[in-house]
């Protein structure tokens, strides 16, 4: 648990004697924000605490409950702690038992997650502990039982940890509805939100509020800790023009691990985690204890890593966002971010995993994988120094999540429609939900809607003689409880060794491409694919070969708008280049000589011939998702203009389109009207909406991934979803699930809002440069064309056959600096 400040008697008198003595025995004193949280609790107020890691947030959240329980013993559940991660709930429970035991408090403290044995779950409902640590999904499950009113009747406080990480997501929508339900079951229950990184405190306070009014929540701000020591690795190796795995720098990362006590190595994807771990292990002549942690590994393996880390047995862990949040490992003294961080808030969160001492600086190292990522890392560094955080704007709660919640409410017992509507709009994401949309959603849950009402299986609710909605069949209750939650993974298959040990899960479409004897890297091992049996991938240890790496549909997170603005600012201002590595500064100078650099607010578009094709490269800096959408729309528009587009490739920074004829009317090509009919037609024709609908349908309970007595394969779920999608589009195009699908697509995979803002910003400010050959800044995106993903030290060097020629072409005629006469791959 984060530690309070060192001993001083000044604030100890504000604590009850038993607690003051416990602080004194440890040589601590309470922080001012911990005492403020106590005062808020005494006033019966909900409170949002914003404090840096190491500032004692967790203790501040629980201290009022412990004080209350010590003074007034409570029968039943007193405090509910909700964490976005199972591991965090387990970690907090472990740390909370220590002060309870040392002060001799008569308080029971337990966890309840998807890993909790069934017998223990049943006992917790019969005899709830005083403090229960759980997750949003387990809370939804608890609320679906008939005895939920008895379990939660005496609840006094709900603590939501890492609030910023869950509010704004579908998990957050589900939790907000659960909190509204708790308010009905236990009126006046206090809410406490804990957060380290917040870009919009008003929004977070509103989300936490029992009335959806931010003014009803007390704000408590902890003092800032010591300034983090963050540096960018200036590699001794050659810095690649393209690539995302940073394999070239792993030897230097290993050297940093040697000098640190314990290191967390963060990467952005699970595939990258496997590769970085393999490379570190290859270099590990010193026999350091290095582990791997990501969400696709078996839960047993993840728990072993977490326990080993907590007990100080590991020197390093390679992890994805699975360890982003506040597991308290005080021994961590260095955080390494391999690859660009994509957002300043995310980077600050990860830096906070080091040290956990408020008055001592965290140490972090950024390891860019290519030259554009150097710029992004520099932008992130500036943002962190300025305490400037990024975040997505709030969006309305999802109707698919509301559908799930309505069914879950019915599972617990009958409800009146008007009563439930009044309850739902107390949840902040649903505060503007119209009665009409609520009734349409309720009708869908009850009957399936107009197009599906003739099918018995979609009639899940019925009205009783008193006008209350009830579940029509107990099978619907079982299906709900087997599928509760909003995390819809891509179809996955278990990976099992010959001896029966399960290593974790890989995505189905990756396995579809494997043949017996093929090798691949997973769970930190080189494995050989032997075949399939009962939806399980059978593997053995491989002796060698050219391994593949499992791909995961989550992919890389897109560059945030905030960092994009800072990157454009660095590019347009040569005065800032002195902070860049010489190779990157030289690269930008060649660009300025060959063409021009993108400015801070306009749009640079370069066109040039290469081979038999014409290339268009636009420097948008709006993130991969928005660029993918832009590529689809540009090629449609170019097709109509007779330019014969052949394809496009998008990165976080730029987009390249190639065609048989050159584009000339750039203002017309990038006009805002492309987000009208072109967008509608493309979205209607694309498979993206079907993929999005599948997730929406699973969350809404229209399609179950799991049913009593069986588990459907990914193919079955997708096939069923596609059939229903086609029926709804044809017969009920305004169905609430299609409405939810379009909303998700607009804000996620397509990032339409961000694209619209860009097109509006650059209108009348497009600078078109017609070049006779490729420019240096265009080289990285062209190197992505046709690139294959393989494992090994050559991963970032596998470019198309003309890669060296492409770089030579971009730099031809330029007087290069010392050591830059040749630009090897």
């Amino acid at each position: 648990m984060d530690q309070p400040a060192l001993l001083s008697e000044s604030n100890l008198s504000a604590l009850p004697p038993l607690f003051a003595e416990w602080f004194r025995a440890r040589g601590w004193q309470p922080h001012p924000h911990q005492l403020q949280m106590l005062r808020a609790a005494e006033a019966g107020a909900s409170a949002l605490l914003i404090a840096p890691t190491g500032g004692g947030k967790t203790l501040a959240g629980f201290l009022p409950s412990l004080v209350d329980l010590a003074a007034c013993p409570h029968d039943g559940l007193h405090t509910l702690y909700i964490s976005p991660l199972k591991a965090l709930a387990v970690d907090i429970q472990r740390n909370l038992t220590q002060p309870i035991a040392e002060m001799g408090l008569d308080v029971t403290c337990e966890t309840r997650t998807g890993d909790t044995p069934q017998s223990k779950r049943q006992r917790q409902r019969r005899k709830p502990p005083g403090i229960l640590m759980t997750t949003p999904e387990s809370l939804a499950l608890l609320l679906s039982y008939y005895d939920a009113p008895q379990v939660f009747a005496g609840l006094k406080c709900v603590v939501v940890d890492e609030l910023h990480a869950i509010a704004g997501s579908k998990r957050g929508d589900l939790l907000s509805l659960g909190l509204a339900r708790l308010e009905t079951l236990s009126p006046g229950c206090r809410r406490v939100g804990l957060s380290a990184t917040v870009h919009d405190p008003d929004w977070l306070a509103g989300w936490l509020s029992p009335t959806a009014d931010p003014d009803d929540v007390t704000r408590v701000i902890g003092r800032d800790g010591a300034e983090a020591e963050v540096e960018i690795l200036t590699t001794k190796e050659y810095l690649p023009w393209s690539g995302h795995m940073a394999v070239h720098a792993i030897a230097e990362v290993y050297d940093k691990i040697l000098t640190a006590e314990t290191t967390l190595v963060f990467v952005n994807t699970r595939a990258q985690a496997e590769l970085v771990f393999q490379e570190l292990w290859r270099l590990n002549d010193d026999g350091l204890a290095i582990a791997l942690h990501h969400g696709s590994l078996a839960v047993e393996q993840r728990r072993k890593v977490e326990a080993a880390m907590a007990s100080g047995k590991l020197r390093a862990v390679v992890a994805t966002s699975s360890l982003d949040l506040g597991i308290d490992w005080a021994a961590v003294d260095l955080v390494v971010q391999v690859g660009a961080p994509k957002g300043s808030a995310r980077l600050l969160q990860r830096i906070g995993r080091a040290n956990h001492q408020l008055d001592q600086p965290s140490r972090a190292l950024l390891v860019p994988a290519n030259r554009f990522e150097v710029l992004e890392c520099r932008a992130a560094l500036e943002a962190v120094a300025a305490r400037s955080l990024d975040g997505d704007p709030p969006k309305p709660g999802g109707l698919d999540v509301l559908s799930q919640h309505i069914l879950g409410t019915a599972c617990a017992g009958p409800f009146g429609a008007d009563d439930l509507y009044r309850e739902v709009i107390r949840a902040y994401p649903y505060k503007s939900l119209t009665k009409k949309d609520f009734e349409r959603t309720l009708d869908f849950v009850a009957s399936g809607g107009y197009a599906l009402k003739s099918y018995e299986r979609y009639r899940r609710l019925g009205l009783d003689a008193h006008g209350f909605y009830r579940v029509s069949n107990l099978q619907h209750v079982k299906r709900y409880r087997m599928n509760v939650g909003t995390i819809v993974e891509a179809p996955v298959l278990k990976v099992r060794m010959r001896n029966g040990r399960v290593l974790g899960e890989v995505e189905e479409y990756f396995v579809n491409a494997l043949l017996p004897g093929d090798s691949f890297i997973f769970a930190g091992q080189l494995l050989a694919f032997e075949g399939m049996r009962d939806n399980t991938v059978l593997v053995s240890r491989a002796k060698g070969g050219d391994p593949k790496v499992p791909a995961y549909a989550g992919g890389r997170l897109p560059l945030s708008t905030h960092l994009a603005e800072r990157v454009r600012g660095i590019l347009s201002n040569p005065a800032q280049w002195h902070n860049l590595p010489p190779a990157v500064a030289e690269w930008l100078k060649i660009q300025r000589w060959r063409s021009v650099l993108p400015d801070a607010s306009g749009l640079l578009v370069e066109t040039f011939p290469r081979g038999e094709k014409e290339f268009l490269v636009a420097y948008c800096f709006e993130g991969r998702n928005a660029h993918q959408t832009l590529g689809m729309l540009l090629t449609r528009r170019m097709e109509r203009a007779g330019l014969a587009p052949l394809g496009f490739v998008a990165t976080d920074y730029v987009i390249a389109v190639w065609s048989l004829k050159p584009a000339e009317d750039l203002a017309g090509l990038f006009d805002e009207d492309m987000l009208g009919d072109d967008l509608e037609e493309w979205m209607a024709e694309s498979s993206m909406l079907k993929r999005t609908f599948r997730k929406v349908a699973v969350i809404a309970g229209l399609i179950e991934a799991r049913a009593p007595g069986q588990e459907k394969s990914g193919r079955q779920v997708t096939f069923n979803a596609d059939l229903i999608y086609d029926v709804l589009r044809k017969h009920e195009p305004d169905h609430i699930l299609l409405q939810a699908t379009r909303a998700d697509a607009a804000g996620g995979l397509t990032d339409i809002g961000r694209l619209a803002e860009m097109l509006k910003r650059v209108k009348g400010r497009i600078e078109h440069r017609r070049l006779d050959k490729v420019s240096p800044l265009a080289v990285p995106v062209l190197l992505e064309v046709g690139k294959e993903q393989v494992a090994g030290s050559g991963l970032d060097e596998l470019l198309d056959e003309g890669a060296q020629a492409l770089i030579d072409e971009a730099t031809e005629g330029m007087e290069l600096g010392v050591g830059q006469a040749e630009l090897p791959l």
Side-chain angles (χ1 to χ4, degrees):
M1 195 178 295
D2 296 336
Q3 296 179 2
L6 294 178
L7 182 62
S8 168
E9 292 291 326
S10 58
N11 290 327
L12 289 173
S13 59
L15 293 170
L18 177 64
F19 289 82
E21 187 55 40
W22 180 72
F23 272 74
R24 190 177 291 109
R26 286 182 157 261
W28 294 349
Q29 68 159 332
H31 289 300
H33 61 260
Q34 293 171 330
L35 297 178
Q36 286 178 263
M37 294 293 282
L38 268 177
R39 288 194 288 271
E42 289 165 1
S46 293
L48 170 63
L49 170 61
I50 301 171
T53 299
K57 285 193 307 301
T58 307
L59 185 58
F62 280 108
L63 192 57
S65 293
L66 295 177
V67 168
D68 189 32
L69 283 165
C72 309
H74 183 83
D75 186 24
L77 183 59
H78 179 284
T79 295
L80 187 67
Y81 167 89
I82 299 169
S83 159
L85 292 178
K86 294 178 191 177
L88 185 52
V90 173
D91 181 71
I92 296 299
Q93 189 263 345
R94 182 175 59 242
N95 282 292
L96 194 57
T97 54
Q98 185 176 3
I100 289 173
E102 290 175 352
M103 285 186 277
L105 302 178
D106 185 18
V107 177
T108 52
C109 174
E110 296 180 359
T111 60
R112 181 191 176 99
T113 71
D115 300 331
T116 304
Q118 182 66 21
S119 58
K120 186 176 180 180
R121 296 187 207 179
Q122 291 173 345
R123 195 257 302 150
Q124 286 173 340
R125 286 168 53 202
R126 291 193 306 272
K127 187 175 173 52
I131 300 175
L132 182 65
M133 280 77 173
T134 192
T135 61
E137 293 76 20
S138 288
L139 173 61
L141 200 56
L142 279 168
L143 289 170
S144 77
Y145 287 103
Y146 70 90
D147 55 3
Q150 290 75 49
V151 172
F152 294 107
L155 186 67
K156 301 297 182 186
C157 178
V158 181
V159 179
V160 184
D161 204 354
E162 305 288 0
L163 181 55
H164 64 281
I166 195 165
S169 67
K170 290 203 175 192
R171 294 182 81 201
D173 291 348
L174 184 65
L175 178 56
S176 73
L177 292 166
L179 292 176
R181 189 75 185 140
L182 287 176
E183 178 68 16
T184 298
L185 299 178
S186 184
C189 173
R190 286 193 320 112
R191 298 183 188 179
V192 172
L194 308 177
S195 185
T197 50
V198 180
H199 75 283
D200 187 347
D202 288 340
W203 164 61
L204 217 55
W207 192 98
L208 187 66
S209 169
T211 61
D213 182 352
D215 292 336
D216 288 343
V217 172
T218 298
R219 321 281 180 89
V220 177
I221 310 297
R223 71 177 178 87
D224 287 340
E227 197 74 34
E229 296 175 357
V230 190
E231 63 174 310
I232 300 173
L233 178 68
T234 304
T235 178
K236 298 188 283 270
E237 303 295 327
Y238 176 76
L239 184 62
W241 289 54
S242 183
H244 304 286
M245 296 298 178
V247 175
H248 69 281
I250 301 304
E252 289 162 279
V253 171
Y254 179 77
D255 290 341
K256 295 287 185 180
I257 292 172
L258 282 173
T259 64
E261 185 177 346
T262 308
T263 303
L264 267 178
V265 181
F266 279 115
V267 296
N268 292 333
T269 68
R270 296 172 188 179
Q272 190 177 22
E274 294 281 355
L275 286 166
V276 169
F277 176 78
Q278 281 290 320
E279 191 65 14
L280 285 173
W281 200 251
R282 186 182 66 80
L283 296 165
N284 190 11
D285 294 335
D286 302 273
L288 303 181
I290 302 174
L292 176 66
H293 193 289
H294 63 68
S296 289
L297 299 178
V299 63
E300 295 82 9
Q301 181 167 341
R302 280 181 277 143
R303 293 295 171 267
K304 282 181 182 177
V305 171
E306 290 156 15
M309 196 71 168
S311 59
K313 295 177 181 176
L314 296 178
R315 287 292 296 276
V317 175
V318 180
T320 58
S321 56
S322 61
L323 293 182
D324 265 3
L325 303 178
I327 296 179
D328 182 14
W329 292 330
V332 174
D333 59 348
L334 175 65
V335 167
V336 177
Q337 167 66 45
V338 177
K342 301 304 167 192
S344 58
R346 184 178 303 108
L347 177 60
L348 204 56
Q349 182 74 48
R350 290 181 168 184
I351 290 172
R353 296 301 100 231
N355 195 19
H356 277 240
Q357 303 287 331
L358 189 62
D359 297 315
Q360 297 179 26
S362 300
R363 289 200 305 129
L365 177 71
L366 305 186
V367 183
N370 59 54
R371 297 181 181 212
F372 264 122
E373 286 197 354
V374 171
L375 302 177
E376 186 183 333
C377 287
R378 173 56 56 188
L381 214 62
E382 293 174 0
V384 167
R387 298 278 178 179
S388 178
L389 303 178
D390 40 31
D392 297 322
K395 56 181 183 291
L399 297 181
D400 51 347
V401 181
L402 177 60
S403 301
Q404 184 180 130
H405 177 73
I406 290 172
L407 181 58
T409 302
C411 290
F415 66 84
D418 289 342
D419 293 337
L420 186 57
Y421 175 66
R422 284 191 291 271
E423 178 182 296
V424 163
I425 59 175
R426 288 204 304 262
Y428 185 83
Y430 296 90
K431 65 176 183 175
S432 300
L433 178 73
T434 64
K435 188 72 175 291
K436 179 181 177 182
D437 277 348
F438 174 80
E439 289 171 344
R440 290 174 62 225
T441 307
L442 177 57
D443 179 57
F444 156 68
V445 178
S447 70
Y450 169 77
L452 301 174
K453 65 172 60 174
S454 60
Y455 296 91
E456 175 72 27
R457 62 168 309 195
Y458 300 124
R459 297 202 290 271
R460 294 179 284 176
L461 304 182
L463 282 169
D464 65 16
H466 304 287
F468 288 95
Y469 282 89
R470 292 177 178 269
V471 175
S472 61
N473 188 306
L474 285 178
Q475 286 296 310
H476 295 308
V477 177
K478 291 180 181 178
R479 289 191 177 101
Y480 169 83
R481 290 178 182 153
M482 291 183 72
N483 293 278
V484 69
T486 63
I487 301 172
V488 182
E489 299 282 359
V492 293
L493 300 168
K494 283 186 170 56
V495 180
R496 190 186 298 274
M497 298 288 288
R498 280 180 183 171
N499 63 8
R501 186 163 69 95
V502 174
L503 300 179
E505 297 173 327
V506 295
E507 291 180 4
E508 190 176 275
Y509 76 86
F510 171 77
V511 178
N512 290 341
L514 294 177
L515 297 173
D518 282 354
S519 59
F520 65 99
I521 297 172
F522 183 70
Q525 303 177 48
L526 182 60
L527 304 173
F529 174 65
E530 295 190 345
M532 293 283 303
R533 184 189 302 155
D534 300 329
N535 286 334
T536 298
V537 183
L538 300 177
V539 300
S540 58
R541 291 189 185 276
K543 295 185 172 66
D546 185 18
K548 300 179 181 179
V549 183
Y552 298 92
R556 285 190 297 270
L557 294 162
L559 175 71
S560 74
T561 303
H562 180 62
L563 284 195
E565 291 170 357
R566 287 183 176 271
V567 170
R568 286 198 301 268
I570 293 170
L571 279 170
S572 64
N573 184 8
Q576 297 189 48
W577 296 358
H578 69 278
N579 288 322
L580 301 175
V584 177
E586 192 79 45
W587 176 54
L588 299 184
K589 289 174 186 174
I590 305 171
Q591 171 69 21
R592 188 169 53 175
W593 169 78
R594 174 73 71 194
S595 173
V596 69
L597 285 155
D599 72 19
S601 55
L603 175 64
L604 171 63
V605 180
E606 295 174 337
T607 58
F608 50 85
R610 193 159 198 277
E612 302 295 318
K613 304 181 187 73
E614 284 285 338
F615 283 82
L616 178 154
V617 178
Y619 299 90
C620 308
F621 297 95
E622 296 299 336
R624 186 178 303 272
N625 293 342
H627 292 170
Q628 291 279 4
T629 302
L630 179 61
M632 294 291 187
L633 299 179
L634 281 176
T635 50
R636 289 176 73 91
R637 187 160 280 197
M638 290 171 72
E639 185 71 44
R640 284 204 307 274
L643 303 181
L646 300 172
F648 75 92
V649 66
T651 71
D652 264 336
Y653 314 109
V654 298
I655 179 172
V657 185
W658 52 98
S659 58
L660 295 180
K661 296 181 181 178
E664 294 173 349
D665 179 14
L666 277 302
L669 203 54
F670 285 86
D671 193 275
E672 290 176 90
D673 64 5
M674 74 162 61
L675 297 182
D677 293 342
D678 279 347
L679 179 64
E680 288 296 320
E681 289 174 16
W682 168 61
M683 288 183 71
E685 294 170 8
S686 75
S687 62
M688 181 203 62
L689 277 187
K690 282 191 174 182
R691 294 200 307 274
T692 307
F693 177 79
R694 175 188 172 274
K695 293 185 177 182
V696 165
V698 170
I699 290 170
L702 186 66
I703 296 169
E704 300 99 5
R706 289 173 290 276
Q710 64 176 346
E711 182 154 342
K712 296 180 181 177
S713 70
R715 280 198 198 89
Q716 287 174 308
V717 172
T718 301
F719 179 71
N720 292 344
D722 288 354
L723 281 177
I724 296 173
Y725 175 78
D726 291 336
V727 168
L728 294 182
R729 273 196 64 201
K730 183 176 180 181
H731 298 290
E732 196 177 355
D734 62 343
H735 193 281
I736 64 122
L737 292 195
L738 293 182
Q739 181 180 328
T741 299
R742 287 189 287 268
D744 279 6
L749 294 171
T750 56
D751 221 342
I752 291 168
R754 189 164 171 185
L755 182 55
E757 285 296 315
M758 184 208 77
L759 294 174
K760 181 179 178 182
R761 185 188 79 240
V762 305
K763 188 171 185 177
R765 304 196 61 182
I766 297 176
E767 181 166 5
H768 177 202
R769 285 295 173 117
R770 178 65 184 175
L771 307 176
D772 59 356
K773 58 186 68 174
V774 62
S775 74
L777 234 55
V779 167
V781 72
L782 263 63
L783 294 181
E784 296 284 337
V785 178
K787 186 172 168 184
E788 298 289 345
Q789 186 177 11
V790 297
S793 60
L795 181 73
D796 284 341
E797 300 174 9
L798 186 71
L799 311 175
D800 64 319
E801 290 181 2
Q804 184 61 61
L806 194 64
I807 295 173
D808 291 343
E809 184 181 326
T811 57
E812 183 183 353
M814 177 67 184
E815 182 82 29
L816 300 180
V818 177
Q820 297 290 306
E822 282 190 29
L823 297 173
L825 297 184

